[in-house]
């Protein structure tokens, strides 16, 4: 009898202790990446924090060859050397410039990661656009079906994560373009379990104020947005005005340069390019115009700002920052002067 009373007392005591103890802290999600970069951090998390805080560059020339014996248990980047070789074949044209596959990969990276904001329960850089959730049929993703098929083939061959592959392909395409930045590239994201939310990607006919707010809700400043929009330097339009399908958005679409910033500002407009309405209104908006002008003729400034902003973009919705690995060393070498490599 006494034994039963003691047992009951102990169980009650444990229950009261459990109720009094704080609930185990979980990762700050949904929320901005900054919420995850507090307290004691892992090496990669600290690197990301330093990049986003401007302490370190978002670019690096670090490069290495695949070891003769590459064990995934020891080297997290083993598969990515193979992926990199394959994407170089697919992204670089005979003229040494980046081709349509490369510019589509840049756009795909934005469309996968950008379908997220601070209130989203899911989405972000999770690879959902490559997976079987039907996102390729959404109107805003029109034109991405070809690159989606190409990358699904790469994924099937190398068995890398869908989420990582989308962002790796963006960074590979960027540095494949002459003058493009060699952006720090992290792998280890978790793949999506369902489709990304709708209504979170920018519209080319939206106002500048709405676009600035849209990106602010994802954690980007107007300064960041000015840098990110420069990705249109290598872009072509096909669906905004079908009568001008294939028109580039600047005069050098095969090169990752700052001509876009100057070309967008010109009046009258160059008849050989197409200026998106959203780019035009952003270029003259008071929160963006000064930064826009600073990018004109200043390639290093833009590359640095773009790299920093895109690293944030490539991690939207990612909760497991401490598990990420830096595989930038597997990317091809940068070609700052357009030299064929």
């Amino acid at each position: 009898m006494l034994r039963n009373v003691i047992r009951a007392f102990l169980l009650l005591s444990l229950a009261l202790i459990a109720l009094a103890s704080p609930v185990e802290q979980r990762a700050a999600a949904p929320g901005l990446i900054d919420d995850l970069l507090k307290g004691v951090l892992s090496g990669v998390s600290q690197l990301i924090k330093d990049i986003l805080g401007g302490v370190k560059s978002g670019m690096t020339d670090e490069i290495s060859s695949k070891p003769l014996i590459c064990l995934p248990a020891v080297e997290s980047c083993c598969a990515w050397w193979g992926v990199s070789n394959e994407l170089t074949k697919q992204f670089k044209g005979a003229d040494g410039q980046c081709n349509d596959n490369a510019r589509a990969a840049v756009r795909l990276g934005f469309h996968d990661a950008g379908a997220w904001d601070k209130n989203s329960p899911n989405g972000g850089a999770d690879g959902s656009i490559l997976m079987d959730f039907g996102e390729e049929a959404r109107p805003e993703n029109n034109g991405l079906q070809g690159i989606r098929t190409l990358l699904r083939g790469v994924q099937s061959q190398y068995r890398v994560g869908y989420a990582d592959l989308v962002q790796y392909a963006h960074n590979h395409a960027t540095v494949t373009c002459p003058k493009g930045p060699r952006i720090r590239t992290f792998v280890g994201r978790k793949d999506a379990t369902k489709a990304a939310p709708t209504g979170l990607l920018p519209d080319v006919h939206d106002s500048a104020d709405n676009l600035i707010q849209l990106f602010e809700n994802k954690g980007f400043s107007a300064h960041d947005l000015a840098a990110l929009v420069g990705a249109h330097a290598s872009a072509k339009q096909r669906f905004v005005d079908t009568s001008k399908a294939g028109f580039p958005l600047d005069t050098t679409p095969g090169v990752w340069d700052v001509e876009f910033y100057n070309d967008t500002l010109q009046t009258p407009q160059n008849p050989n390019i197409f200026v998106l309405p959203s780019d035009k209104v952003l270029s003259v908006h008071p929160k963006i115009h000064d930064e826009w002008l600073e990018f004109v003729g200043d390639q290093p400034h833009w590359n640095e700002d773009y790299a920093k902003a895109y690293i944030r973009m490539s991690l939207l919705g990612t909760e497991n920052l401490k598990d990420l690995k830096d595989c930038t060393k597997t990317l091809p070498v940068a070609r700052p002067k357009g030299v064929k490599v």
Side-chain angles (χ1 to χ4, degrees), residues 103-137:
R103 56 182 57 96
V106 170
R107 182 173 171 231
L108 189 79
F110 275 95
H111 281 230
D112 190 53
W116 181 92
D117 71 14
K118 61 185 179 181
N119 300 310
S120 299
N122 69 292
D126 60 7
S128 61
I129 200 167
L130 276 191
M131 301 171 75
D132 296 319
F133 300 123
E135 290 182 37
E136 71 278 7

Side-chain angles (χ1 to χ4, degrees), residues 14 53 59 102 132 136 150 159 182 196 201 240-241 269 271-272 312 320 341:
L14 290 172
M59 302 183 293
D132 296 319
E136 71 278 7
L150 188 159
R159 298 298 177 183
R182 199 164 179 276
L201 293 177
V240 180
D241 182 347
Q269 180 183 316
N272 297 315
R312 178 182 290 273
N320 58 319
V341 176

Side-chain angles (χ1 to χ4, degrees), residues 2-318:
L2 180 59
R3 182 180 298 173
N4 291 337
V5 171
I6 293 172
R7 181 180 298 169
F9 176 79
L10 289 174
L11 290 174
L12 178 60
S13 298
L14 290 172
L16 290 172
I17 291 172
L19 288 172
S21 300
V23 177
E24 182 180 355
Q25 188 175 1
R26 295 181 295 174
L32 302 179
I33 186 174
D34 308 82
D35 298 334
L36 306 176
L37 297 174
K38 298 176 180 178
V40 179
L41 301 174
S42 68
V44 167
S45 295
Q46 186 63 53
L47 174 60
I48 292 169
K49 182 176 182 177
D50 289 343
I51 292 170
L52 298 184
V55 177
K56 292 185 178 179
S57 174
M59 302 183 293
T60 178
D61 292 330
E62 178 192 359
I63 190 168
S64 64
S65 300
K66 183 179 181 179
L68 292 177
I69 299 177
C70 200
L71 302 175
V74 178
E75 172 55 79
S76 303
C77 303
C78 285
W80 295 102
W81 275 288
V83 171
S84 183
N85 289 337
E86 181 61 30
L87 294 185
T88 296
K89 298 174 188 176
Q90 299 293 341
F91 288 172
K92 188 164 69 172
D95 58 1
Q97 298 187 6
C98 49
N99 60 19
D100 284 347
N101 285 336
R103 56 182 57 96
V106 170
R107 182 173 171 231
L108 189 79
F110 275 95
H111 281 230
D112 190 53
W116 181 92
D117 71 14
K118 61 185 179 181
N119 300 310
S120 299
N122 69 292
D126 60 7
S128 61
I129 200 167
L130 276 191
M131 301 171 75
D132 296 319
F133 300 123
E135 290 182 37
E136 71 278 7
R138 295 178 179 178
E140 64 267 28
N141 293 329
N142 200 13
L144 293 175
Q145 291 82 4
I147 189 63
R148 180 177 179 272
T149 298
L150 188 159
L151 292 181
R152 280 169 65 94
V154 173
Q155 192 281 330
S156 178
Q157 180 178 357
Y158 292 97
R159 298 298 177 183
V160 291
Y162 290 100
D164 289 334
L165 180 58
V166 175
Q167 300 309 319
Y168 188 93
H170 168 282
N171 289 4
H172 191 293
T174 300
V175 76
T176 297
C177 296
K179 299 187 180 182
R182 199 164 179 276
I183 302 171
R184 285 277 185 185
T185 301
F186 303 100
V187 301
R189 298 168 185 79
K190 294 180 180 178
D191 287 343
T193 56
K194 55 184 175 181
T198 58
L200 295 177
L201 293 177
D203 187 292
V204 296
H205 298 293
D206 212 344
S207 70
D209 285 327
N210 285 348
L211 291 168
I212 290 170
Q213 185 62 57
L214 178 75
F215 277 80
E216 185 177 308
N217 290 341
K218 302 178 194 297
F220 297 97
S221 66
H223 183 129
D224 293 330
L225 178 54
L228 290 171
V229 168
H232 290 162
S234 66
K236 296 179 180 179
Q237 80 84 29
R238 292 181 173 83
F239 308 108
V240 180
D241 182 347
T242 55
S243 70
K244 296 182 178 180
F247 270 45
L249 303 191
D250 83 352
T251 50
T252 54
V255 180
W256 190 273
D257 60 20
V258 292
E259 291 304 312
F260 164 79
Y261 289 99
N262 185 54
D263 291 344
T264 303
L265 291 170
Q266 296 307 303
T267 302
Q269 180 183 316
N270 185 325
N272 297 315
I273 69 171
F274 188 92
V275 176
L276 296 177
S278 54
D279 289 345
K280 193 67 175 181
V281 297
L282 285 171
S283 71
V284 296
H285 191 278
K287 289 185 176 180
I288 285 181
H289 184 61
D290 288 348
E291 188 65 24
W292 197 282
L293 289 176
E294 288 192 19
F295 289 144
V296 175
D298 195 341
Q299 186 78 33
H301 180 187
W302 175 48
N303 275 2
E304 188 62 66
D305 285 7
Y306 183 88
K308 174 184 171 183
Y310 196 81
I311 286 172
R312 178 182 290 273
M313 174 68 70
S314 73
L315 297 173
L316 292 184
T318 303

